């Protein structure tokens, strides 16, 4: 009879506990991290601040240079906002929908972005742009690189709110394989350094309802654009 040393009921219990409570921090690349629940302590301040931003700069569906209307609705806050239209992708200090500057980045957004970058080993991150994406069930984001920023020495800090998403984290070529990373309300992903230009995207969002945000997922990406 084969002795299966070490595989005792106690070992199975240990694995069961680990499965129930995944680690708070997961490394998904040499300089890429998932910080589970990192935004939760700030949530009571984040959601009202988000609402104030949205009152000033509502979500809108933008068109890509190729003429495709994005399924994700977006807006921005901070000194620069990211826009796309038939003429291309760019950062602009002005919201093209209103002709006004983008709403200021709320202090609590800045606190979160700085702290998450620091926790992932990127010191002194001072974002000047926060893109805000809204996904309703069925919305997705195709694989892309974040490369419209001037200095790729700064990381991207991405915050997930609302219903879950399956984030895809790829390599440096579009055709590289992707890791599937489930993201939940309050999770933060940070990627930078040698990982800064890795392809990433979001699979079509599955129908679900979040107690605070309803049938939607909201994502913030903080960048240093200029
Ligand atoms: C993005 O890549 O701009 C958004 C990523 C996400 O929604 O998680
Ligand atoms: Fe992106």
């Amino acid at each position: 009879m084969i002795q299966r040393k070490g595989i005792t009921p106690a070992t199975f219990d240990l694995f069961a506990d680990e499965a129930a409570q995944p680690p708070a921090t997961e490394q998904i690349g040499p300089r890429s991290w998932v910080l589970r629940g990192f935004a939760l302590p700030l949530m009571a301040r984040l959601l009202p601040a988000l609402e104030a931003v949205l009152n000033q700069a509502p979500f809108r569906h933008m068109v890509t240079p190729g003429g495709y209307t994005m399924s994700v609705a977006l807006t921005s806050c901070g000194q620069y906002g990211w826009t796309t239209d038939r003429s291309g992708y760019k950062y602009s200090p002005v919201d093209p929908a209103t002709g006004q500057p983008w709403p200021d980045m709320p202090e609590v957004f800045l606190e979160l972005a700085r702290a998450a970058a620091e926790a992932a080993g990127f010191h002194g991150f001072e974002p000047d742009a926060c893109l805000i994406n809204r996904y309703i069930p069925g919305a997705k984001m195709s694989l892309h690189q974040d490369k419209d920023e001037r200095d790729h020495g700064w990381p991207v800090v991405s915050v997930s709110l609302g219903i879950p998403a399956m984030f895809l984290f790829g390599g440096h070529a579009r055709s590289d394989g992707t890791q599937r990373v489930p993201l939940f309300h309050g999770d933060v992903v940070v990627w930078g350094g040698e990982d800064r230009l890795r392809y990433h995207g979001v699979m079509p969002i599955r129908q679900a309802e979040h107690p605070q945000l309803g049938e939607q997922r909201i994502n913030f990406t903080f960048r240093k654009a200029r």
Side-chain angles (χ1 to χ4, degrees):
M1 192 187 157
I2 301 167
Q3 273 292 121
R4 304 190 69 192
K5 273 184 85 177
I7 302 184
T8 62
T11 313
F12 285 120
D13 285 351
L14 179 65
F15 285 127
D17 287 352
E18 279 179 1
Q21 269 189 331
T25 299
E26 292 160 39
Q27 189 165 15
I28 56 170
R31 299 210 64 198
S32 305
W33 301 87
V34 180
L35 310 173
R36 295 287 176 197
F38 194 87
L40 293 176
L42 293 174
M43 204 56 73
R45 291 167 59 212
L46 276 177
L47 295 182
L50 169 63
E51 201 176 315
V53 166
L54 295 177
N55 284 336
Q56 229 180 300
F59 283 119
R60 75 292 305 265
H61 288 273
M62 292 187 190
V63 176
T64 66
Y68 165 78
T69 300
M70 293 176 71
S71 61
V72 173
L74 59 131
T75 187
S76 291
C77 65
Q79 223 179 320
Y80 298 98
W82 185 85
T83 65
T84 171
D85 61 20
R86 291 306 299 243
S87 69
Y89 304 127
K90 62 172 186 284
Y91 279 101
S92 163
V94 167
D95 179 351
T98 61
Q100 298 297 309
W102 296 99
D104 287 340
M105 201 179 306
E107 186 56 36
V108 62
F109 281 36
L110 274 173
E111 277 174 39
L112 173 58
R114 288 174 183 141
E118 192 67 34
F122 298 97
H123 308 296
F125 182 51
E126 286 292 327
D128 57 10
C130 174
L131 274 68
I132 308 173
N133 293 310
R134 184 188 59 197
Y135 300 74
I136 57 171
K140 66 176 170 69
M141 191 165 295
S142 307
L143 284 180
H144 65 279
Q145 296 169 293
D146 291 356
K147 60 178 182 189
D148 299 323
E149 300 73 28
R150 189 167 286 160
D151 179 358
H152 297 144
W154 295 108
V156 174
V157 172
S158 166
V159 178
S160 291
L161 305 174
I163 64 178
M166 190 62 82
F167 181 64
L168 299 173
F169 196 56
H172 285 90
R174 190 185 293 277
S175 57
D176 287 348
T178 57
Q179 297 177 63
R180 290 175 172 216
V181 183
L183 295 178
F184 304 95
H185 184 64
D187 290 349
V188 179
V189 186
V190 183
W191 65 94
E194 66 205 90
D195 294 327
R196 177 61 177 73
L197 291 177
R198 284 172 72 160
Y199 277 87
H200 58 279
V202 175
M203 288 182 64
I205 298 286
R206 295 169 72 154
Q207 189 81 43
E209 180 144 0
H210 185 269
Q212 282 163 293
L213 287 154
E215 281 191 348
Q216 59 178 343
R217 168 176 188 260
I218 294 191
N219 169 263
F220 302 156
T221 48
F222 293 97
R223 302 111 186 268
K224 176 104 180 89
R226 293 291 176 254

